[in-house]
Each structure stands twice: as structure tokens, then as C-alpha cells.
Amino acid sequence: MIEQQLPFALRDEEELSVDLIEAQYALKNSKDKNNAKSLVILVSGIELAGKGEAVKQLREWVDPRYLRVKADPPCLFTTKQSFWQPYARHIPSEGQIQIFFGNWYSDLLSTAMHVSKPLDETMFDTYVENMRTFEQDLKNNHVDVIKVWFDLPWKSLQKRLDSMDSSEQRWHKLMGLDWRNKKQYDTVQKLRQRFTDDWYVIDCDDAVARDQQFAQYVLQALKKLPKHKTSVRTKWKQAAVPEALQQPATDELDKDQYKDELKKLTKKVSEALRNDSRNVVITFEGMDAAGKGGAIKRIVKNLDPREYEIYTIAAPEQYELRRPYLWRFWTKLQPEEKISIFDRTWYGRVLVERIEGFAKPAEWQRAYDEINRFEKDLVDNQTVLVKFWLAISKEEQEARFKAREQTPHKRFKITPEDWRNRGHWDEYLNAAADMFERTDTEYAPWHIVATNDKYSARIQVLKAILKQLKAD
Amino acid sequence: MIEQQLPFALRDEEELSVDLIEAQYALKNSKDKNNAKSLVILVSGIELAGKGEAVKQLREWVDPRYLRVKADPPCLFTTKQSFWQPYARHIPSEGQIQIFFGNWYSDLLSTAMHVSKPLDETMFDTYVENMRTFEQDLKNNHVDVIKVWFDLPWKSLQKRLDSMDSSEQRWHKLMGLDWRNKKQYDTVQKLRQRFTDDWYVIDCDDAVARDQQFAQYVLQALKKLPKHKTSVRTKWKQAAVPEALQQPATDELDKDQYKDELKKLTKKVSEALRNDSRNVVITFEGMDAAGKGGAIKRIVKNLDPREYEIYTIAAPEQYELRRPYLWRFWTKLQPEEKISIFDRTWYGRVLVERIEGFAKPAEWQRAYDEINRFEKDLVDNQTVLVKFWLAISKEEQEARFKAREQTPHKRFKITPEDWRNRGHWDEYLNAAADMFERTDTEYAPWHIVATNDKYSARIQVLKAILKQLKAD
């Protein structure tokens, strides 16, 4: 890749403004349509190059109401959250434009410049690679990303520092680095060249050209409203349904033995969860009535409700549908949440959404890799991810549905939709098979637990948690 | 008020559970209807009294998917945010139930117990009064609030501490106070009695009775789904429309003089905004084309886009409509945001929503006081609130509409809706008059600025900001 070029000539400001506004409105009106997208603009550069001024000028040319600007102090990388986590909440909704001054690259630069033990080049490059992959995932999910580096030669920078007035100086000091230090300047330049080869780099010696180059580049991005890819060329290779799903084991556990084991295990599990220095995310998928609720109950048995959070995942809301489908999980998984339990998960994309057609083939087929990367990011940032599929037989499900309909305090658990889903039994098995084949990773393995016998299922779930936490 | 009583008898657990689930589903299904509400449950009490256990038991009796639990470490009061700000984001949506372990009362207790300079009783009581008022506002906006204090005598507490195992001790230490200290225990009891007279107080010596009392109290609250009040008895007294709106001044400013003054003032304003230790919120209301955008542009002229946030307020989204109408402003006004500018505001409630009938008479008539309290909370917490009404004449508006239609880069600013709103001109004037009469407070005064002459309007806006910041 090379730094992006754009044939550039100064344009009449009013015409440029009209073009920008029209493109902005076309973007805005794409919302909920088949060419909808949002636009993220990452803005970084040398201090005093004038990224602030360029954004301000852009804001004057466009309709400022539909151009959001986010600026945060640099967020140094820790091992507790992925580079995208501080920004996830602000990923724009279809039709919106969001500028990020503070962004994952400026955080990377700050981290590389600031930590006592600096990042080595390999680590730096690995971050850059992950960032690019993340951006590609955003693009595939209709969040376009453009990146602009505002560059300024050393001499011009020094001249601008000389002529700055005091109130402005205060503001610029906030940004952290000492821009009077030539060595530091050179380091920034050297480092940023490790990632700016797919950026649009603007030489900012001339303010008018700078503002126009920036605006014209944004205009070019605004104008692209490509049709969403929905179909795929290659034929889908269906994985074989594992025996564990076809014929879930029916080993029964004696009730007394169950009670004894349960007591010991729930205690052990709560201690293991508490004592693990990492965050723990436990997820459940499986057919209706497979016993997700019952299993969750036993996991939290000895925990205080303040120690964990249960997320029940239903159909997404409209404002969630206007963002990448993983977005509602990005925003839920906060680094400060020690124990999170998910009753249904992001795998809905390749299960219910695939089967019901809410996700098009291109979307769900792409999702396996996206999910793997998402999970890897979590695990790389001190999270243990324990994934369960509760496997029940079709006969046992029917028996449980009927029993629920007979039991007053369980009746609420059964709806016509459950019976309808049951009609898609084989499709769900196939979707689950594909899911295991593609997302059973070393860092986030699947646990398939047979649940025809509830007692044995709960015991197995607890044991699997202990095993994965290495606390067994 | 006295501590709430409930005729209490142990019930069959299964029957209680069925009742709870049914009531929970009725609440859930009230969403978007005329009896919709959500329920906030504030839970506080003596350590080890068992509020955690009671909530856990409740979660087992209800459908846990629709009962959210929020627990945060105590958030000590600062002068930078109002007591409700840390919780605003979690105020539940219609149909939802939200338990707050950490809540404004536990924060008040922690603040009173922890600060080096303790709260005096008057201040403590003022907080309690404000909290009750806030809760009443929530209730009026269909967020029901119930409060439960889990009490435990000193001796029982000590016995429980004796028998606690070590892993649990760690968890309980997190809560901050030393529960072995009798003096501290007594202080907590004395303090909490200053606010628990409208709480449901449960004696927690008996765990079974405790859990049932709690669940039965919640059930009682769930069952109440009162019809929303929409009409009012008393006749509305329309305020007289101020001359400044009837006949906005038309003093014209010479262009050269304007340019000179503007240059000086924008500089002064940016410095004043930066140097003020408080947060500044500047809000704009006024007829379409009155020049809100132009005024905002001049305010931010010398600011960096990273220093401020502009909020453009359009019609609320569905998920916002399911919460109190101020909610979307509560969540926007974050203490860390130094300069916020609103292009249209919460006054939409008493302007467009009143005129278009989106708010019923009982709702918009109540809103003036609610808004005043909201603004007072902001101002009490180190925020300067500068409110503008831009006053334009009907003729000048028409001229600007027509000019906009002729100017390519302004065409986007004019829509059929603008012409339609113009048809309600007099109603808007009346609504504005009522608004001034009721919300022009000492702590958040209105500035009515005549805008038939744009130049003079912009100068006046800048001067008014300086004046209110005492920087002129």
C-alpha cells in the first residue's frame, strides 16, 4: 500500500460546500436502506499542523448537525481492554459521520512514546495489523473508515510554536508531548510511518490547501455508497452434525449424588470466579428448554447479585440494527465487569439470524471470522471466555415444553415462537455444526453439554468452568 | 410520613412466584401503552442483613431476564455532578425493572461517613429533600420508585460477622465500612433514620421472612399500573407575549463595526470559556431561521473542535420516548464535558411537544418545574447555563426562508416542515411567553436576543455569554 493520493486542485468554496452537503444528505438518507453506511474519520498528526482548524473548516462547509466530533485524551494501552473498547460506544449509526481525534492510532503512538518499557517494533506492528483488521470488519459492516495524517515539517512546527499565544499554549500542552524536542519529533515521524501507508497524508504548511485537501478527501468518501454485499459466490460447505448433538448422552445422575456434588461445585466455582484475576465471560447457546436458565442459576448460586451481570439477548432494537451486529456486545463487555453471563450471545448471527434470513449469506458467512477475532481480542485482554452449547434431544424438548405449559410458574417460559423454532430443528443443528467447526478455537473452546438429564448437565457445566479456569 | 407497613404473612413460594411473574409480564406488556411504567428498586441497608440474598431469591422467583441489577461502589458526592448523574444512564425503560444496590442514598451515607469534613445535618437533609423531589419527578414520568432498607440489630450483625468464611469476608470488605465498630454502626443507624421514613424497612433477623417481605413488597409495586395523567383541572393562565417577541428590535449594526467587535469578542469568549473553572452549557431556542447556527458558529470561532460539543436536538427516538423526557439530556450532560452547546433543548417539551400535542397538558404543564429543578441541579454543580431565545419577526423569517431556497449551500436548511411550523407562529409565541414566565430563574436566566439584524444579534449573544460568565 502507498500513502493515498488524490488529484488535488483548490475549488470554489461555495461549490465544495454544496457538494459536501449533498453527499452528507445522501449518506443521511441511506439509513435503513441497502446502501446505508456511516463514516468514521480518524484524524491524527503533528501538533499545530492544524487538524483542529481543518475539522472546524469542514464543520463550516457541511451541515454541522450531522457531523459529530469526539476528542479524548490519549488512552494508554493496558492489558485490560482492547484498543477498540474505549471507542466502541461512539461507532456511528447508519447515516452518521463521526470524527475521532483521539483514536486507536494516537493511543498507540502515546503508548509507544510514554511507557517506561517501550513497545518493541514487532508489538507495534502487530497492533497496527490488528487495527487494520478491525477497520476492515467495520467496513464490511457498513462503517466506512478513512484516516488522515496532518503532517508538518520540523521547521514549520517550531515557527508555529514561536508565534503561539499563551492561552493556546495551555490547550496544546494538554496533548502531552514536548514538540520542542527534535528527537521526540523524529521518533513520532518514524513511528507513524509504520502505519500511515494507507492514510491520506496532508502536508500542512499551507492552511488553505490543507483544509481543502481534507474536505475533498472526506467528500470522496461520503460519495461512495456501495450496495451491501448479500450473496456469495462459493458454495457453502456444510459441516457434519456432531454425534453429541444428534444423540445427546442420557447418562443419569442420582439425585443424592447430584446434591452433594452441586454443593461442593457451586462453592468451588464462586471461589474460582472471584479469585481469578481475569474477567470471566460465560456464554450459553442451545435449543429452547435445554436448561440455560437452570445452569446459570447454579453458577451464580454462591455469588452475590452485585458480583455478576446476566445479559439476556433478544432481538436487536432498531438503533442497534443500524450498527455492526457485534456493536451491542462491544458496548456490553466493559473491562470493569468481573463476571458476565450471557443467555444467548453474538452467535445469534450464525444461528437464528442465519436461519430466519435476518442475516444474508455474505453476512453470516463472514461472521465466523469476525467473531473469532472479537473473542481473541477479549482473551488477549485478560478475559476467560467459557462457551457452552446445551444439547437436548428433540423428544426431551417436547416433553419439557409440555411440562412447562402445565406448570404455572414456568408457563411464561413457553411461547408460540418456541414451537415455531422447533420446526427448524434440523436447520439449527446444521447451523450449530458449522459454528463448532469454525469457532471452536484454542483460546475460546466450545463445551457441548448433554442436557437430557438436567442434574448431570449442571454438574458438567460447573466442572467445565473450573477446568477452563484451571481451578479444578 | 412513617415507615411503610405491609400486612405480612408467609405465602406459598410457588404461588408467590406465579403472581410475581404475572405482574412482571403485565408491566413488561405495558410498554408504549397508556399505563406503561418502569420500576426502580433502591436497596440499601446494614451489611450482612442479606439484601444480596433477598435480591437473589427475588431473581429466582421472577423471570430473571427482565430484572436488571446494578451495583456500583459508592460514588462520593462531589461538587461536579448531581447525585442522580451517575445513575441517569440506568434509569429503566418502560416495562423494565431495575434494582440499584449502589444508589443516591448509599452515596449520601458514604459521603456523610467518609469525608474528612462531614456533612452537617442541614446539608444532609437538603440532599434527602432533593432526592425525594427527584424521585417524585421520576414517578410523574412513569418511573416508579420503591425503597427498601434491610435492617439488622447490632448483635445479629456481630454474630454473622463471626461466622462468615474468608472468601466472603473479602467481598464484604469491599463495601467500605468497619462493621465491627459499634460507634460507626450507631452513626449509620442515626443517619439512615433521617431518610428512611418513607422506606419499607425489613428486619432481617429471619432470612425467610426477609426474602418474602421483600418479594411481596415488590409484587405490590409491580401490580400498580396507574393510568397516565393527561388532563388538568385548572385552567391554564396564558402569559402575555413580551414586546421583545412581538416586535423584535431592528437596530442595525454597521458591517465594519461588526467585524471589529466580532473579532475582539470571539477571542474574549473563547478565553472566558476556557478559563472558567465551571462547565458551561449554552442553549438556543427560537423560531426557524432565527440564526441559531450562525450564533453557534461565532461562539466556537476561536475554539478547537476538541474543546466543545454541539448537540442538535431532533425528535426523540423510540427508546428515548420510553423514558422520562429529560432522560436524553441527563445522559448527554456529562461532568467531564467542559463546553456544551445545544441547538434546541429540553424546552422542546413546552414548545413543539406542547403545540403538536406530543405532550399532554398534564405533562407539559408539569414540565416547567421539572426543568427548573433540573437546571438548578446543574447550576448547583458548577455549571453555568446560558439560555438564549433568538427573536425574529415573521416578515424577516419569510425573507430568510425564501433566500435559503435560492442559495445552493443553504437549501438543505429549509424543509416543508419549516413552512408548516410557521403556520403555528402565534402558538409558538404564546408557548415561549409561558416558558419565559416560568423558567426565567435567577440561576438560569433567559436572554432574548433580537435577530432581525444578524450582525447585532451575534454581538449580543457573545456579550451575554461574557456577562453571565462575569468576564465582560
Side-chain angles (χ1 to χ4, degrees):
Chain A
M1 260 177 294
I2 51 156
E3 289 180 8
Q4 298 195 17
Q5 293 302 323
L6 187 75
F8 168 72
L10 283 183
R11 292 187 52 190
D12 174 77
E13 287 198 17
E14 185 143 326
E15 278 174 29
L16 178 58
S17 172
V18 172
D19 282 358
L20 278 164
I21 289 165
E22 270 173 17
Q24 198 187 8
Y25 271 66
L27 180 83
K28 185 171 175 284
N29 294 330
S30 75
K31 195 169 77 175
D32 298 333
K33 302 207 182 89
N34 189 36
N35 62 349
K37 79 166 185 183
S38 63
L39 180 61
V40 162
I41 305 173
L42 304 184
V43 156
S44 290
I46 300 296
E47 199 59 20
L48 291 187
K51 43 187 188 300
E53 286 83 343
V55 169
K56 182 194 275 181
Q57 179 58 69
L58 179 68
R59 233 185 186 174
E60 287 182 22
W61 283 332
V62 301
D63 184 341
R65 292 174 296 179
Y66 307 111
L67 176 73
R68 298 194 62 88
V69 174
K70 178 92 190 117
D72 287 310
C75 182
L76 296 187
F77 290 163
T78 67
T79 51
K80 271 284 185 188
Q81 65 178 344
S82 186
F83 65 85
W84 47 262
Q85 272 178 309
Y87 303 98
R89 206 158 64 84
H90 301 281
I91 295 295
S93 168
E94 288 176 7
Q96 291 179 342
I97 311 171
Q98 175 75 52
I99 293 181
F100 286 106
F101 275 100
N103 57 60
W104 37 93
Y105 292 99
S106 56
D107 291 345
L108 176 62
L109 268 185
S110 299
T111 305
M113 302 293 294
H114 275 276
V115 288
S116 42
K117 214 175 107 191
L119 286 175
D120 68 30
E121 292 192 351
T122 318
M123 254 180 96
F124 192 95
D125 293 346
T126 305
Y127 268 118
V128 172
E129 207 185 303
N130 288 342
M131 288 169 181
R132 287 182 177 163
T133 310
F134 176 69
E135 289 154 23
Q136 189 54 53
D137 282 345
L138 285 178
K139 287 180 196 177
N140 292 341
N141 286 281
H142 321 139
V143 180
D144 199 3
V145 182
I146 62 173
K147 303 178 277 193
V148 182
W149 180 267
F150 289 81
D151 205 40
L152 195 66
W154 168 254
K155 279 194 183 156
S156 314
L157 170 61
Q158 297 312 305
K159 223 185 273 172
R160 291 192 189 178
L161 283 168
D162 294 341
S163 66
M164 216 168 46
D165 82 20
S166 62
S167 76
E168 281 200 313
Q169 265 168 15
R170 201 188 64 160
W171 164 250
H172 284 285
K173 252 183 213 147
L174 283 177
M175 299 291 107
L177 297 177
D178 177 6
W179 293 100
R180 287 293 195 189
N181 181 332
K182 176 74 162 68
K183 214 178 125 192
Q184 202 174 61
Y185 173 90
D186 290 339
T187 311
V188 169
Q189 284 290 6
K190 212 185 70 197
L191 284 172
R192 72 94 178 163
Q193 276 158 12
R194 299 186 84 85
F195 61 74
T196 52
D197 50 359
D198 63 343
W199 289 52
Y200 183 51
V201 177
I202 298 178
D203 183 319
C204 297
D205 262 331
D206 180 313
V208 175
R210 173 198 66 204
D211 294 353
Q212 283 236 357
Q213 278 180 281
F214 178 57
Q216 291 184 31
Y217 188 57
V218 170
L219 175 61
Q220 192 191 50
L222 282 175
K223 276 179 159 172
K224 268 185 273 168
L225 289 179
K227 273 221 163 183
H228 298 173
K229 208 180 159 211
T230 54
S231 60
V232 273
R233 287 227 183 120
T234 48
K235 206 172 144 14
W236 181 251
K237 270 196 207 142
Q238 172 64 51
V241 179
E243 187 60 22
L245 265 63
Q246 296 274 23
Q247 296 284 348
T250 51
D251 313 344
E252 285 185 23
L253 200 64
D254 167 76
K255 188 157 187 177
D256 288 332
Q257 197 195 337
Y258 165 69
K259 281 192 168 172
D260 285 351
E261 278 213 69
L262 185 72
K263 206 172 169 188
K264 266 187 299 182
L265 284 171
T266 52
K267 206 160 170 221
K268 256 183 132 170
V269 163
S270 63
E271 277 165 23
L273 288 170
R274 273 190 195 123
N275 296 334
D276 203 300
S277 63
R278 301 164 294 181
N279 288 348
V280 185
V281 177
I282 304 173
T283 71
F284 287 92
E285 289 287 354
M287 303 292 192
D288 296 320
K292 296 189 295 295
I296 292 173
K297 221 173 198 168
R298 273 70 192 185
I299 294 171
V300 303
K301 187 84 192 160
N302 279 319
L303 292 172
D304 188 284
R306 286 162 285 190
E307 293 180 280
Y308 61 88
E309 186 79 56
I310 299 178
Y311 298 98
T312 305
I313 303 305
E317 297 261 2
Q318 189 60 49
Y319 75 97
E320 295 169 325
L321 287 171
R322 292 186 185 136
R323 291 183 167 95
Y325 77 93
L326 280 177
W327 183 78
R328 60 181 176 139
F329 304 103
W330 294 342
T331 52
K332 285 189 175 66
L333 286 161
Q334 297 299 322
E336 63 273 16
E337 195 73 63
K338 184 84 188 70
I339 304 166
S340 310
I341 301 173
F342 282 81
D343 180 352
R344 303 218 178 275
T345 66
W346 41 91
Y347 284 101
R349 188 67 164 182
V350 296
L351 296 169
V352 58
E353 292 192 24
R354 165 182 174 177
I355 288 160
E356 299 285 345
F358 301 141
K360 301 287 170 262
E363 293 171 330
W364 62 259
Q365 291 186 18
R366 195 176 59 217
Y368 301 100
D369 284 345
E370 291 170 348
I371 287 172
N372 285 339
R373 285 192 280 271
F374 163 61
E375 294 184 350
K376 178 128 197 337
D377 279 343
L378 291 179
V379 173
D380 281 348
N381 289 280
Q382 306 219 41
T383 299
V384 190
L385 186 55
V386 193
K387 304 190 295 195
F388 288 103
W389 176 272
L390 302 190
I392 191 177
S393 71
K394 204 170 176 185
E395 301 70 41
E396 177 62 20
Q397 186 193 51
E398 188 175 5
R400 288 192 191 170
F401 276 10
K402 286 185 172 158
R404 283 182 176 187
E405 288 178 332
Q406 301 308 317
T407 316
H409 73 283
K410 287 192 171 167
R411 209 174 289 148
F412 75 93
K413 284 184 167 182
I414 182 102
T415 65
E417 213 190 307
D418 295 325
W419 286 102
R420 216 176 55 79
N421 287 341
R422 190 174 151 78
H424 296 294
W425 186 270
D426 290 337
E427 291 166 71
Y428 273 100
L429 285 192
N430 283 333
D434 285 335
M435 177 179 80
F436 297 135
E437 183 162 285
R438 287 169 177 79
T439 62
D440 183 34
T441 56
E442 210 175 303
Y443 50 88
W446 274 101
H447 304 272
I448 301 179
V449 174
T451 60
N452 275 14
D453 182 70
K454 283 182 183 181
Y455 296 155
S456 120
R458 290 168 192 164
I459 298 297
Q460 282 180 67
V461 163
L462 297 172
K463 283 185 175 167
I465 294 173
L466 290 176
K467 196 165 172 205
Q468 208 180 322
L469 293 179
K470 301 213 187 323
D472 57 340
Chain B
M1 259 177 295
I2 52 153
E3 290 181 4
Q4 299 195 17
Q5 293 301 322
L6 185 76
F8 169 72
L10 284 182
R11 292 188 52 190
D12 174 77
E13 287 197 19
E14 186 144 325
E15 278 174 29
L16 178 58
S17 170
V18 173
D19 282 359
L20 278 164
I21 289 165
E22 270 175 15
Q24 197 186 10
Y25 271 67
L27 179 82
K28 184 171 177 284
N29 295 329
S30 76
K31 195 168 76 174
D32 300 330
K33 302 207 183 89
N34 189 34
N35 62 349
K37 79 166 185 182
S38 63
L39 180 62
V40 162
I41 305 173
L42 304 185
V43 156
S44 291
I46 300 296
E47 200 57 23
L48 291 187
K51 43 187 188 302
E53 286 84 343
V55 169
K56 182 193 275 183
Q57 178 58 69
L58 179 68
R59 234 186 184 173
E60 286 181 22
W61 282 331
V62 301
D63 183 341
R65 292 174 296 178
Y66 307 111
L67 175 73
R68 297 194 62 88
V69 173
K70 178 94 190 115
D72 287 310
C75 181
L76 296 187
F77 290 164
T78 67
T79 51
K80 271 283 184 187
Q81 65 178 343
S82 186
F83 65 85
W84 46 262
Q85 272 179 309
Y87 303 98
R89 206 158 65 83
H90 301 281
I91 296 296
S93 169
E94 287 177 9
Q96 292 180 341
I97 311 171
Q98 175 74 51
I99 293 181
F100 286 106
F101 275 99
N103 58 59
W104 38 92
Y105 291 99
S106 56
D107 291 343
L108 176 62
L109 269 184
S110 298
T111 306
M113 301 295 293
H114 275 277
V115 288
S116 41
K117 216 175 105 192
L119 287 173
D120 68 28
E121 292 191 351
T122 318
M123 252 180 95
F124 192 97
D125 293 347
T126 305
Y127 268 118
V128 172
E129 208 184 303
N130 287 342
M131 288 169 180
R132 287 180 176 164
T133 310
F134 176 69
E135 289 154 22
Q136 188 54 53
D137 282 345
L138 285 179
K139 287 179 196 174
N140 291 341
N141 286 283
H142 322 138
V143 180
D144 200 2
V145 182
I146 63 173
K147 301 177 278 192
V148 183
W149 180 267
F150 289 81
D151 207 39
L152 195 66
W154 168 254
K155 279 194 183 157
S156 314
L157 170 60
Q158 298 313 304
K159 222 184 274 170
R160 291 191 189 179
L161 282 169
D162 294 341
S163 65
M164 214 167 50
D165 81 22
S166 62
S167 76
E168 281 201 312
Q169 266 167 17
R170 200 188 66 159
W171 165 250
H172 283 286
K173 253 183 212 147
L174 284 175
M175 298 290 108
L177 296 177
D178 177 7
W179 294 99
R180 287 293 196 190
N181 180 332
K182 177 76 163 69
K183 216 179 122 193
Q184 200 174 66
Y185 173 91
D186 290 339
T187 310
V188 169
Q189 285 290 6
K190 213 186 70 198
L191 283 172
R192 72 92 178 164
Q193 276 157 14
R194 300 186 82 84
F195 61 75
T196 52
D197 50 359
D198 62 344
W199 289 51
Y200 183 51
V201 177
I202 298 177
D203 183 319
C204 297
D205 262 331
D206 180 312
V208 175
R210 172 197 68 202
D211 294 352
Q212 284 237 355
Q213 278 181 281
F214 178 58
Q216 290 184 33
Y217 188 58
V218 170
L219 175 61
Q220 193 192 49
L222 284 175
K223 276 179 159 172
K224 268 185 273 169
L225 290 179
K227 272 220 163 183
H228 299 173
K229 208 179 156 212
T230 54
S231 60
V232 274
R233 286 221 188 127
T234 48
K235 204 173 144 18
W236 182 250
K237 270 194 207 144
Q238 171 64 51
V241 178
E243 187 61 21
L245 265 62
Q246 296 275 20
Q247 295 285 345
T250 50
D251 314 342
E252 285 185 22
L253 201 63
D254 167 77
K255 189 157 186 179
D256 289 331
Q257 197 195 338
Y258 164 69
K259 281 193 167 172
D260 286 350
E261 277 214 70
L262 185 72
K263 206 172 168 188
K264 268 189 298 185
L265 284 170
T266 50
K267 204 162 171 218
K268 256 184 129 169
V269 162
S270 63
E271 277 165 23
L273 288 170
R274 273 190 197 123
N275 296 332
D276 203 300
S277 64
R278 301 163 294 181
N279 289 347
V280 185
V281 177
I282 304 173
T283 72
F284 287 92
E285 290 286 354
M287 303 292 192
D288 296 320
K292 296 190 295 294
I296 292 173
K297 219 174 201 170
R298 274 70 192 186
I299 294 172
V300 303
K301 186 86 192 157
N302 280 317
L303 291 173
D304 188 284
R306 286 162 284 190
E307 292 180 279
Y308 61 89
E309 186 81 54
I310 299 177
Y311 298 98
T312 304
I313 303 304
E317 297 260 3
Q318 189 58 48
Y319 74 97
E320 296 169 323
L321 287 169
R322 291 187 184 135
R323 293 185 166 93
Y325 77 94
L326 280 178
W327 183 77
R328 58 180 177 141
F329 304 103
W330 293 342
T331 51
K332 283 187 176 67
L333 288 161
Q334 297 299 322
E336 63 274 14
E337 194 74 63
K338 183 82 189 70
I339 305 166
S340 311
I341 301 173
F342 282 81
D343 180 352
R344 302 220 178 274
T345 66
W346 42 92
Y347 284 101
R349 188 68 164 181
V350 296
L351 296 168
V352 58
E353 292 192 24
R354 166 182 174 179
I355 288 160
E356 299 285 346
F358 302 141
K360 302 284 172 260
E363 293 171 329
W364 63 260
Q365 293 185 18
R366 195 177 60 218
Y368 301 100
D369 285 344
E370 293 170 349
I371 288 173
N372 284 338
R373 285 192 281 270
F374 163 61
E375 294 184 350
K376 178 128 197 337
D377 280 344
L378 290 180
V379 174
D380 281 348
N381 289 280
Q382 306 221 42
T383 299
V384 190
L385 186 54
V386 193
K387 304 190 293 194
F388 289 104
W389 177 272
L390 302 190
I392 191 176
S393 71
K394 203 170 175 184
E395 300 71 41
E396 177 61 22
Q397 187 192 51
E398 189 176 3
R400 288 192 190 170
F401 277 11
K402 286 185 174 159
R404 283 183 176 184
E405 289 178 333
Q406 300 308 317
T407 315
H409 73 282
K410 286 192 171 166
R411 211 173 287 149
F412 76 94
K413 284 185 167 181
I414 182 100
T415 65
E417 211 189 307
D418 294 324
W419 287 103
R420 216 178 54 81
N421 287 341
R422 192 173 149 78
H424 296 293
W425 187 271
D426 290 337
E427 290 167 72
Y428 273 100
L429 285 192
N430 283 333
D434 285 336
M435 177 179 81
F436 297 135
E437 184 163 285
R438 288 169 175 80
T439 63
D440 183 34
T441 57
E442 211 176 302
Y443 49 88
W446 274 100
H447 304 272
I448 301 179
V449 173
T451 60
N452 275 13
D453 181 70
K454 284 183 181 181
Y455 297 156
S456 120
R458 291 169 192 164
I459 298 296
Q460 282 180 69
V461 163
L462 297 173
K463 283 186 175 167
I465 294 172
L466 290 175
K467 197 166 172 204
Q468 207 179 322
L469 294 179
K470 300 211 189 321
D472 57 340

